[in-house]
Every structure is written in structure tokens, then in C-alpha cells.
Amino acid sequence: MNKDWSEKNKRMQSLIGRETTFSEGIEVLIDLRNDLFSQVSYIVNTFPGEAFYQMPFAGANGYHSKTLAYSMWHIFRIEDIVAHTLIDGNEQVLFSCGWQKKIGSPIVTTGNELKGEEIAELSKKLNVEALFEYCKAVMESTNELLRSLAYTDLKQSFSEEDKIRVKDSHCVSTDEDAIWLVDYWCDKDVRGLIKMPFSRHWIMHIEAMCRIKDRLCQKARKGADPITRKRFE
């Protein structure tokens, strides 16, 4: 794990654990999220469209086996669902401004159910610029939620009714590789959700995105023609 991100994450976890430093901890969390999102911004603003559906680590075990576009979709769909459907009980960002149509996504789920070529095919369909704007909108809405929390909210837990509500949103696939998420989220309190998915989940997947983009650069340098190489650097 990136040392700076890891240390900031540990500091945030320590600070939010005490009422006197809770607000400071939330600001450290938002600063961490801004650092992480800057990596996503760099990739989107630097890499060509074809980079977002390539799988240079296809078949590997780990988050880096996905694509850049899938990683973005996955991170922020999970955050959107958890922040709005589960915690706030209001409309997800995806549905509030017609983002699904803008992005061109055939699914509204987290994507956990997809495998191999299915991930690449989804990624080819996504409008990366619109996806990036959606990700930014989700991040900003979650930051507002985080800043609205009080220390006492950390112990907020969830019920069987909450699990049903998340399932009824149809935003989590019933596939066995996805449906476990509902129990995973709802068995946590708000403090647990701050860790997963609002901080550590970002770190894991954005580090994977960095591995993907570095490998794409390496491949371009080794054998691509000068025009292709320049587009990936």
C-alpha cells in the first residue's frame, strides 16, 4: 500500500475514534480522498480512450486484473449505493441526473458479478468522460455526508429491513460473487463503512489502477509505434 495513503488512513481512523478529534479525522479522510481522486483525474486526463478497456493483467488474482473503466465504475457505484441507499435512504447520484444514460452503462450494479471478457465488454461501452464526472459527483455528495456526521453517528447500525431495501434497489446483483455485499455492508456500523468503502476500498482499487496504467505505459514503450507510445505516456 502507498505509504502516504496508508499513514493518512491510519491517522484518520485514530482521530475519528475520539469525540474531541472526530471532526479533524473527517477532514483528514476527505484530504485522503482528494489525494486518491487526483490519481483518477490524472489517468482520465492523460490516457487515451482505448486504455480504459484494456486488461494487461487479465487472469491475475487481484484488483489489477480489471480495467481502468471498470475500476472507476465499481468504486463509485459501491459508494453511491452505500452512501445514499443504505445510510441516507435517498436517491442515488446515478439516478438523480440521468448519469446512467450519459455514461452508456447497460448495468446499474457494482459489477462484482462480471468476469473476464464481460469486464472488458462493459468497459468498452462506458463513456469515460461522463463516468469521470459521475465519479466526481459521487465523491462530492459523500463528502457532504461525511461532514454532516456527528461522532455519535459512528455507532449507527443497520437492520434486516435495510438489507431488504438495498436488495430491492436491484443495484447489487443476485450473483453469488455480488450478493454477499449486502450482508457485508449491513453488518457494519457507520464507522465500519467509513473504512470500507469510503477509504480503504478506494486505496485498494486506485492502487490497482496505477498498476494497470504503469503496465500499459511499459507495453507501449516496448513495441508500439511512436504515435501509440506517445498517447500512453
Side-chain angles (χ1 to χ4, degrees), residues 27-122:
E27 291 307 315
V28 172
L29 171 58
I30 290 172
D31 186 49
L32 170 62
R33 286 160 58 85
N34 287 337
D35 285 350
L36 290 161
F37 198 77
S38 70
Q39 292 295 314
V40 178
S41 299
Y42 171 79
I43 292 169
V44 170
N45 291 325
T46 305
F47 281 68
E50 58 263 36
F52 289 84
Y53 54 79
Q54 294 192 34
M55 301 175 71
F57 296 102
N61 290 321
Y63 301 123
H64 59 295
S65 66
K66 318 300 183 184
T67 68
L68 294 173
Y70 172 90
S71 299
M72 293 167 63
W73 175 264
H74 176 75
I75 294 167
F76 291 94
R77 283 305 295 131
I78 283 183
E79 179 154 315
D80 200 0
I81 296 164
V82 171
H84 294 282
T85 299
L86 181 56
I87 298 177
D88 261 1
N90 57 17
E91 187 178 36
Q92 293 176 31
V93 174
L94 185 72
F95 306 125
S96 64
C97 298
W99 283 110
Q100 184 184 3
K101 183 177 180 180
K102 294 175 186 176
I103 295 167
S105 176
I107 66 172
V108 298
T109 61
T110 64
N112 286 67
E113 70 277 13
L114 302 180
K115 310 291 187 299
E117 191 59 29
E118 293 175 329
I119 292 173
E121 288 304 312
L122 170 68

Side-chain angles (χ1 to χ4, degrees), residues 133-151:
E133 292 302 321
Y134 165 68
C135 295
K136 185 176 179 181
V138 172
M139 177 186 70
E140 291 173 347
S141 70
T142 303
N143 287 351
E144 289 181 10
L145 167 63
L146 291 168
R147 285 191 168 120
S148 74
L149 294 174
Y151 176 74

Side-chain angles (χ1 to χ4, degrees), residues 143-210:
N143 287 351
E144 289 181 10
L145 167 63
L146 291 168
R147 285 191 168 120
S148 74
L149 294 174
Y151 176 74
T152 53
D153 292 325
L154 292 181
K155 295 182 179 180
Q156 176 188 340
S157 59
F158 303 94
S159 65
E160 287 300 317
E161 288 74 18
D162 292 315
K163 292 182 182 182
I164 292 170
R165 184 159 45 84
V166 174
K167 289 178 181 179
D168 286 349
S169 74
H170 303 295
C171 290
V172 178
S173 169
T174 56
D175 185 279
E176 64 179 2
D177 287 332
I179 195 63
W180 63 270
L181 284 168
V182 178
D183 286 337
Y184 178 79
W185 297 330
C186 293
D187 288 345
K188 294 180 179 293
D189 56 16
V190 168
R191 182 173 182 176
L193 294 175
I194 284 176
K195 181 176 181 179
M196 291 287 283
F198 297 158
S199 56
R200 186 170 174 79
H201 190 244
W202 278 46
I203 292 172
M204 294 187 300
H205 280 284
I206 292 174
E207 284 190 328
M209 290 179 69
C210 291

